Amino acid sequence: GKSYSKPALLGNFPQMGLGMGRGPQLTTTKDYTVVTVGDHRGNLYAIRSMNITHQWSTPVRVNDTDTTAKEALSSISAGNDNLVYTAWLDSRLGNNNLYGALSRDGGLTWGKNQLIYKGEQNGICECCKPSVYISQTGQISVMFRNKLDGARNMYLISSTDEGEHFGKAQKQGTGNYMINACPMDGGDLTVNLRGEASTVWRRQMEIYLAQHGKTEMKLGSGRTPVILQTAKGNAIAWQQENSIQFRSPDGLRTSSLGNGQYPKLALAKDQKTAICTFEREGHIIVTSVTL
């Protein structure tokens, strides 16, 4: 993260969805870098580049029903070899529900769209970005904000057969976010080798961490949290007012990385450094944190 190449144009996407977690989503597989882009016409596209040649493919549409991904809210994750899974908010049933699709060739072709979760009360939360994570064992986990009995709580749902079937959605945390509106804030998750998920999300204006078998933990005030699995534990970042907060993997230190919004986390190749990127006044800021 000390130096970067010049930006490369991947393609032109009129009416690209931007803001509140929208915008291009990126992941890397064994052989490819894969980017998905949603637009406000209601379509989700994927493009890929071979990691050797850096040549980008022609966009292909992921949603197999035209113009049903109008919110342009999606997430993407890579598994073993060139397996990729994406999930998004889809309106083909009349309300926004959770759909997904699998690619086995690094995003060049996509399988039949799958209904992951149908909202029990007129769909799920309309404007909150879902999160996807494929564990090293191949488990696909998706987190989304539900809409039940006046509460907008986060739910986690998983598949162990490459997305063919998903289990029962599990509420994250113990409290309820009672609000008759969309918070416009998703969350993030990671899953360990035992299949146990750790999720971070916002309730009211507080950031919470939920872990398997543990009581929910309040981390601080803010929005747009992200989580990164490391050998020392889970590193977490979020936006608190105009500052980016970073919580160390051991949970003992929380520090500010400077002014900004919409943080993202990645693990450096040495496994000892976290790379945090975020927006600041129209610029992309990158900072490295020793774990």
Side-chain angles (χ1 to χ4, degrees):
K2 293 182 175 64
S3 62
Y4 286 85
S5 62
K6 292 182 179 180
L9 179 64
L10 309 190
N12 292 301
F13 297 89
Q15 299 184 33
M16 185 190 303
L18 298 170
M20 307 310 295
R22 297 177 178 90
Q25 309 293 312
L26 179 146
T27 192
T28 55
T29 71
K30 175 176 172 287
D31 298 310
Y32 302 100
T33 296
V34 188
V35 173
T36 54
V37 180
D39 66 28
H40 287 302
R41 292 179 176 135
N43 291 315
L44 181 66
Y45 296 95
I47 53 176
R48 75 173 193 182
S49 167
M50 289 193 67
N51 294 332
I52 296 176
T53 64
H54 303 293
Q55 297 296 311
W56 289 90
S57 64
T58 301
V60 296
R61 199 178 77 189
V62 178
N63 51 305
D64 55 19
T65 300
D66 192 28
T67 68
T68 57
K70 288 184 172 63
E71 285 297 334
L73 288 162
S74 70
S75 183
I76 189 171
S77 183
N80 294 327
D81 296 323
N82 290 309
L83 193 76
V84 180
Y85 194 84
T86 182
W88 67 93
L89 271 59
D90 191 289
S91 62
R92 70 185 69 184
L93 299 181
N95 302 104
N96 275 316
N97 293 286
L98 190 64
Y99 271 77
L102 181 77
S103 173
R104 299 181 184 277
D105 54 13
L108 184 63
T109 61
W110 295 83
K112 179 179 173 59
N113 294 177
Q114 303 150 307
L115 176 62
I116 300 173
Y117 179 88
K118 185 179 186 295
E120 299 174 26
Q121 298 174 359
N122 298 319
I124 62 175
C125 200
E126 300 87 355
C127 302
C128 287
K129 181 181 182 296
S131 303
V132 179
Y133 188 87
I134 304 180
S135 71
Q136 293 184 38
T137 62
Q139 176 177 309
I140 300 174
S141 298
V142 186
M143 185 172 67
F144 64 99
R145 194 177 293 277
N146 211 345
K147 183 175 65 173
L148 286 172
D149 300 323
R152 304 287 180 116
N153 298 318
M154 304 301 294
Y155 279 70
L156 183 70
I157 192 167
S158 299
S159 170
T160 56
D161 59 4
E162 296 186 339
E164 288 292 329
H165 306 88
F166 281 83
K168 184 179 180 180
Q170 303 291 330
K171 178 188 169 188
Q172 300 297 288
T174 54
N176 287 307
Y177 191 176
M178 307 301 297
I179 180 174
N180 187 27
C182 179
M184 301 181 75
D185 200 349
D188 200 13
L189 77 153
T190 187
V191 181
N192 63 23
L193 289 173
R194 297 185 296 275
E196 299 167 345
S198 296
T199 64
V200 288
W201 33 271
R202 167 188 156 206
R203 186 168 68 226
Q204 302 293 347
M205 286 305 295
E206 305 292 339
I207 302 298
Y208 287 86
L209 168 67
Q211 294 177 289
H212 178 78
K214 297 182 180 180
T215 304
E216 67 176 28
M217 178 185 299
K218 184 167 70 173
L219 304 179
S221 62
R223 58 187 300 119
T224 64
V226 289
I227 189 168
L228 175 67
Q229 188 175 157
T230 79
K232 296 182 178 180
N234 293 321
I236 301 169
W238 68 93
Q239 177 186 340
Q240 180 177 318
E241 295 182 346
N242 293 320
S243 173
I244 301 299
Q245 301 295 305
F246 179 84
R247 183 178 186 265
S248 62
D250 58 16
L252 299 178
R253 303 179 309 280
T254 298
S255 56
S256 173
L257 301 182
N259 291 339
Q261 57 185 345
Y262 301 116
K264 298 291 182 184
L265 285 173
L267 193 62
K269 189 175 182 180
D270 64 7
Q271 305 288 305
K272 299 176 182 179
T273 307
I275 308 296
C276 185
T277 71
F278 49 91
E279 297 179 24
R280 180 192 292 165
E281 299 177 351
H283 299 280
I284 302 298
I285 306 300
V286 183
T287 185
S288 301
V289 183
T290 301
L291 301 175

